[in-house]
């Protein structure tokens, strides 16, 4: 069976190892629709990192030991640094980061409100699942971006994986008390369900971003079927990770 | 009048510009009492940074805009990096960071519990005051440390000052609504009072650390009068900063 580490090493959702260029930012951004789509994407990612920071810092309160608390705080600090990079890029291309993030505040806040962990094992599973889904999404979206934006997205993503420490902790918790496995499996499904539900809401509401995802950039030949496949690949990678964690999803 | 920036630049509490050496860590730590005192100090500073991270991340929720939220989150992330450096040093000298921090968890948690900001201006004043008092204390304590520990303490301290952004924000809030000035002045006094009260509790309970502060290291010729003077210098620096902020303290 593939371990979570192996799943991460082989690329999670398993796509995007080669990246044919569609040009650099300056040439692509001449198309106002492309520019709007990327600003949407960077705004969504930036708010995602900022809200991940907030929730990990909040969930650190559930930690049973100071070392555990510090581990979750360290993940939170890493998310903040991702946020800074995305924020600085928005400023660099002349966008207002606050305005770019605002449309995604409510869907992401809703996600976190609906998935507040009840205890430490739930917060560990959430940290791990959230980190992994984010990495999968970054990898998927990277293939249809201009060279400069892609470089940024891959750089931010390369710095994920802080959640790996959670894997051992969750396994230990299940070994110590096998009956929490069922509850955590249910929790993993709920996290994925809420994430997909908010993602669909964003796709429905944000034309520019959706166009990027469903083929607004013609050279990529993307369409709705592809978006469906992307969600499937991310869900399948999640399922494999949950199984490797000892949780039927 | 000295601005807060000038107060910071001229050294806050205004001591410690020269540091006569008492030797390096290896020679000083041969004295078990000195070693215990420094482990106490590093444990206290480490937990202080970790709890500052937690509270700043919590207070970021009060921010009126995403940019403000991000500014406080950035301070929190900086505190986490200070924590990491102190934690890693504890490991390096063979101490258990959790055990070193534990005695200071309750006093620092009490401080934060007693000083939970009610709104955004209160959280800004707390961030600024907390950052400044920490820098003053680091600077004071540095003079009576071995070269290696002092280098660490000064390095961590050099990275403070993230709270300066709070100064302009607080001034703006008072200009927009002058009557909050009185409440914030009271708040500044309460922060300082609680900080001193918890510091005295620590001095009373931790023999090794207190010995360091009151002259356990004989070469420094430190005594209780000096500890009183140190608290006075920190209080006076606080008073100057509050006045520069437009808050009578």
């Amino acid at each position: 069976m593939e371990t979570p580490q192996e799943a991460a090493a082989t690329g999670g959702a398993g796509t995007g190892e080669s990246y044919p260029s569609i040009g650099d930012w300056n040439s692509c951004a001449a198309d106002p629709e492309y520019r709007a789509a990327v600003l949407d994407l960077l705004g969504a990612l930036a708010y995602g990192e900022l809200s991940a920071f907030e929730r990990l810092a909040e969930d650190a309160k559930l930690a049973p030991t100071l070392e555990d608390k510090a581990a979750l705080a360290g993940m939170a600090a890493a998310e903040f640094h991702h946020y800074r990079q995305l924020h600085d890029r928005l400023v660099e291309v002349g966008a207002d980061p606050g305005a770019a993030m605002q449309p995604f505040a409510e869907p992401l806040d809703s996600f976190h409100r609906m998935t507040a962990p009840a205890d430490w094992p739930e917060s560990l599973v959430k940290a791990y699942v959230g980190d992994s889904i984010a990495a999968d999404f970054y990898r998927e979206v990277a293939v249809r971006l201009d060279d400069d934006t892609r470089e940024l997205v891959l750089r931010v993503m390369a710095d994920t994986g802080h959640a790996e420490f959670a894997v051992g902790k969750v396994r230990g918790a299940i070994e110590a008390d096998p009956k929490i496995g069922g509850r955590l499996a249910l929790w993993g499904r709920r996290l994925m369900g809420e994430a997909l539900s908010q993602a669909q809401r964003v796709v429905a509401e944000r034309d520019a971003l959706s166009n990027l995802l469903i083929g607004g950039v013609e050279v990529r030949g993307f369409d709705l079927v592809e978006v469906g496949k992307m969600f499937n690949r991310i869900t399948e990678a999640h399922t494999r990770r949950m199984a490797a964690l000892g949780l039927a999803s």
Side-chain angles (χ1 to χ4, degrees), chain A:
Chain A
M1 185 192 289
E2 196 178 43
T3 68
Q5 286 79 4
E6 284 162 1
T10 56
T15 62
E17 264 67 43
S18 72
Y19 300 109
S21 176
I22 60 165
D24 67 6
W25 166 254
N26 284 333
S27 63
C28 291
D31 173 2
E33 191 139 4
Y34 180 84
R35 180 183 159 84
V38 169
L39 296 193
D40 253 19
L41 177 69
L42 295 180
L45 295 181
Y47 193 82
E49 298 288 2
L50 192 56
S51 65
F53 163 86
E54 263 194 306
R55 304 316 297 216
L56 286 166
E58 172 88 19
D59 295 350
K61 286 182 196 159
L62 299 168
T65 70
L66 286 178
E67 293 276 299
D68 286 332
K69 185 195 288 275
L72 223 54
M75 289 181 58
E79 307 289 6
F80 180 78
H81 293 298
H82 301 163
Y83 159 77
R84 281 305 311 182
Q85 293 180 63
L86 294 159
H87 168 277
D88 291 351
R89 177 62 180 166
L90 281 163
V91 171
E92 195 183 348
V93 300
D96 172 352
M101 289 191 285
Q102 200 62 63
F104 308 100
E106 176 45 32
L108 280 155
D109 288 351
S110 288
F111 170 74
H112 287 298
R113 204 164 41 236
M114 303 292 278
T115 59
D119 57 15
W120 178 238
E122 286 195 2
S123 70
L124 288 171
V125 170
K126 183 174 174 181
Y128 176 60
V129 165
D131 196 62
S132 306
I133 293 179
D136 283 348
F137 179 72
Y138 278 34
R139 200 179 287 111
E140 288 278 352
V141 87
V143 301
R144 70 207 68 139
L145 293 172
D146 64 273
D147 302 342
D148 301 297
T149 309
R150 177 194 298 159
E151 189 275 327
L152 168 66
V153 164
L154 292 178
R155 178 153 41 88
V156 168
M157 188 198 79
D159 189 31
T160 61
H162 298 271
E164 289 301 330
F165 98 99
V167 172
K169 295 272 178 184
V170 172
R171 286 217 178 110
I174 296 171
E175 267 167 41
D177 181 10
K179 70 179 181 298
I180 69 167
R183 174 164 65 86
L184 292 179
L186 200 64
W187 175 241
R189 275 200 295 280
R190 195 165 132 214
L191 289 170
M192 192 68 208
E194 289 292 341
L196 285 176
S197 145
Q198 296 301 331
Q200 272 154 359
R201 182 174 155 194
V202 167
V203 166
E205 287 175 7
R206 300 301 297 176
D207 285 350
L209 182 57
S210 309
N211 280 344
L212 177 71
L213 293 177
I214 67 171
V217 183
E218 246 95 51
V219 290
R220 304 294 315 152
F222 225 62
D223 59 23
L224 262 175
V225 174
E226 278 302 315
V227 173
K229 284 185 185 169
M230 178 180 97
F231 281 152
N232 274 348
R233 282 193 297 272
I234 293 180
T235 305
E236 282 164 14
H238 168 75
T239 304
R240 281 201 305 277
R241 277 191 298 261
M242 290 295 97
L245 205 48
L247 301 176
S249 70

